[in-house]
Amino acid sequence: MSGRYPPVNSCVAERVDPPPLITTDADLHACVESLGRVVGIDTEFIRVRTFYPIPALYQLAGDGGVGLVDASANSTFGPLKALLLDPGRTKVIHGCSEDLEVMATHLDVQPANLVDTQLAHAFIGPEFSASYAKLVERYLGLKLDKHETRSDWLQRPLSKEQQSYAVEDVAHLRAIWQRQRQALVEAGRLQWVLEEMQQILDAPVATPDTWFENMKGVWRLGCRERRVLRNLVRWREQEARRRDIPRAYTVRDEHLVALALRPQLAPGDVAGLIPRRTAKRYGKILAAVHRQGLKDRDPIPNVARPLGRRDGELVKVLREAGRRASNRLGVAPELLARKRDLEADVRYFRAHDQLPRRYREGWRGQIVGDVFDGILKAALAE
């Protein structure tokens, strides 16, 4: 079959002459059909001066070998979409966040039945963000050659070195997951990983209407300033997407905040608040959007203030309890004791007098639900 490497039975990719990339739906269909029920997946892309990641390559590993799919080909990618959406086939990936964005923007799909070897490892050992190379060594006893990761994946043809790297980056995923799955089943934690994976997939995506809430110092702004800022952020999002450039290549966060703080804004005022070149390009439109924001009467959410000293101390108590539970289980402490998560938990408990849903229904509740609940109730009752 065109564009496919032979199976990697020895867990070491053979140094063979690379075949041509898969560029047609027919060859892609044949590749997908050969992969079996458990499929390793990886992506290569470029994202330096663009808003959207530019997909370059999809790597697929399965029973039939490793296939390299040219993401820039004139193809519908229908067989790949069908594979990703098939709940009956397990897709194995490593460090999924950027890969998911590539699939969403390029293929408009979110994979079903997806597992992440990096996440799975956190439920087996103390490392939360272990690299792929480390997992290959940890589970398979192999050391990968060092590669130059900063590579032009959009060039055609790809070099043999690039193709060898692309093969190696996906070839071991299924073997790693096989060993992880066995360990998770033996420890009674497989369902924990699946729950956590689904939470990642279900997590709300930031939108232009909510992006401003995470800007530095925005909690200090009043309702009027926040409405203005929300409108400025909406405009920037549209501009960055229209020009396909990073947000910071339009107007930076801190400059938008500075503009939002002004009670009035004329085009001539903009140059004194942001870089001259940016003001020259966007001064008039920024002033217009600012005026629009002043007229905005839509509800504006409150933005969480930094925790006070008392709640900060409470987070420390929760972190220590989470670390003790993590050490007892031999899992990564970030799963139970990450500071930003616990800060959100304290805020939620103050607002609702109970822990968030992930403790009431998820695996965390089995481990630290009662402990965290007791700590918070005792502290907030004082």
Side-chain angles (χ1 to χ4, degrees):
M1 181 184 65
S2 174
R4 181 165 57 84
Y5 283 81
V8 189
N9 296 324
S10 64
C11 293
V12 179
E14 297 180 18
R15 301 300 181 185
V16 297
D17 289 336
L21 300 183
I22 295 172
T23 59
T24 68
D25 283 341
D27 283 344
L28 180 55
H29 176 77
C31 174
V32 167
E33 287 298 300
S34 76
L35 296 174
R37 308 309 299 174
V38 180
V39 182
I41 295 180
D42 190 30
T43 67
E44 303 296 346
F45 60 93
I46 299 293
R47 189 180 201 172
V48 179
R49 297 179 180 275
T50 61
F51 183 91
Y52 300 102
I54 304 174
L57 200 67
Y58 294 103
Q59 300 108 288
L60 307 174
D63 294 342
V66 176
L68 302 181
V69 183
D70 187 351
S72 64
N74 184 20
S75 166
T76 70
F77 301 98
L80 177 57
K81 295 178 185 180
L83 166 66
L84 294 172
L85 293 172
D86 186 349
R89 302 175 78 175
T90 301
K91 275 71 71 173
V92 186
I93 204 164
H94 179 86
C96 68
S97 60
E98 291 183 318
D99 301 289
L100 288 175
E101 186 176 4
V102 171
M103 296 172 195
T105 56
H106 183 229
L107 303 175
D108 193 27
V109 300
Q110 183 185 78
N113 195 3
L114 183 73
V115 292
D116 188 322
T117 56
Q118 189 176 67
L119 176 68
H121 179 70
F123 284 85
I124 300 171
E127 297 168 298
F128 185 66
S129 299
S131 69
Y132 174 70
K134 184 166 287 187
L135 296 193
V136 171
E137 184 174 3
R138 161 70 172 78
Y139 292 99
L140 308 179
L142 301 171
K143 287 192 175 182
L144 298 182
D145 294 336
K146 292 184 178 180
H147 294 278
E148 176 58 52
T149 57
R150 295 182 64 84
S151 183
D152 181 6
W153 290 104
L154 296 176
Q155 72 175 14
R156 295 294 183 268
L158 295 175
S159 69
K160 289 185 178 181
E161 289 74 19
Q162 284 177 306
Q163 290 184 289
S164 294
Y165 172 84
V167 168
E168 195 168 64
D169 233 18
V170 73
H172 308 295
L173 284 172
R174 297 196 314 156
I176 292 171
W177 171 243
Q178 181 182 28
R179 288 157 177 77
Q180 288 179 329
R181 191 181 191 285
Q182 180 179 351
L184 290 166
V185 169
E186 292 174 355
R189 299 175 191 171
L190 177 60
Q191 190 58 37
W192 297 3
V193 173
L194 300 181
E195 285 180 18
E196 195 73 6
M197 195 73 236
Q198 195 59 50
Q199 285 188 16
I200 291 173
L201 294 173
D202 292 342
V205 178
T207 69
D209 283 349
T210 60
W211 184 273
F212 80 97
E213 297 175 19
N214 295 317
M215 289 182 173
K216 185 177 180 181
V218 72
W219 62 272
R220 294 189 177 93
L221 275 60
C223 290
R224 178 185 62 81
E225 290 88 357
R226 292 204 305 277
R227 285 192 175 95
V228 172
L229 181 60
R230 180 172 62 185
N231 278 267
L232 290 169
V233 170
R234 284 173 179 166
W235 165 82
R236 184 182 66 176
E237 194 76 6
Q238 294 170 357
E239 178 69 4
R241 293 178 185 228
R242 182 184 69 83
R243 295 179 58 197
D244 194 18
I245 58 175
R247 294 179 181 92
Y249 283 28
T250 56
V251 186
R252 297 177 64 87
D253 283 5
E254 61 268 27
H255 297 144
L256 291 180
V257 173
L259 295 174
L261 285 169
R262 295 294 293 260
Q264 299 292 330
L265 187 69
D269 301 329
V270 176
L273 298 169
I274 66 177
R276 187 172 299 276
R277 177 180 292 183
T278 305
K280 183 178 181 180
R281 181 176 191 123
Y282 294 123
K284 290 182 179 180
I285 185 63
L286 287 170
V289 174
H290 189 282
R291 290 193 299 272
Q292 177 184 336
L294 292 174
K295 299 175 183 177
D296 186 353
R297 294 296 179 267
D298 289 341
I300 189 77
N302 291 322
V303 177
R305 300 171 62 89
L307 295 182
R309 183 184 60 82
R310 183 184 177 192
D311 282 349
E313 292 299 320
L314 183 54
V315 169
K316 290 181 181 179
V317 175
L318 292 173
R319 289 189 77 186
E320 184 55 36
R323 288 193 188 101
R324 287 196 299 269
S326 301
N327 292 336
R328 183 177 72 252
L329 294 170
V331 303
E334 289 87 349
L335 292 172
L336 295 170
R338 189 156 50 181
K339 182 179 178 181
R340 71 168 181 263
D341 293 338
L342 296 177
E343 288 176 344
D345 293 341
V346 171
R347 291 190 177 98
Y348 189 95
F349 199 95
R350 278 197 175 278
H352 303 281
D353 198 30
Q354 63 180 351
L355 285 165
R357 181 177 177 180
R358 64 195 187 119
Y359 293 97
R360 290 179 274 124
E361 298 180 7
W363 65 270
R364 285 179 178 83
Q366 304 173 36
I367 308 305
V368 294
D370 290 342
V371 174
F372 281 10
D373 188 70
I375 291 172
L376 288 165
K377 282 182 177 176
L380 301 183
E382 295 177 358

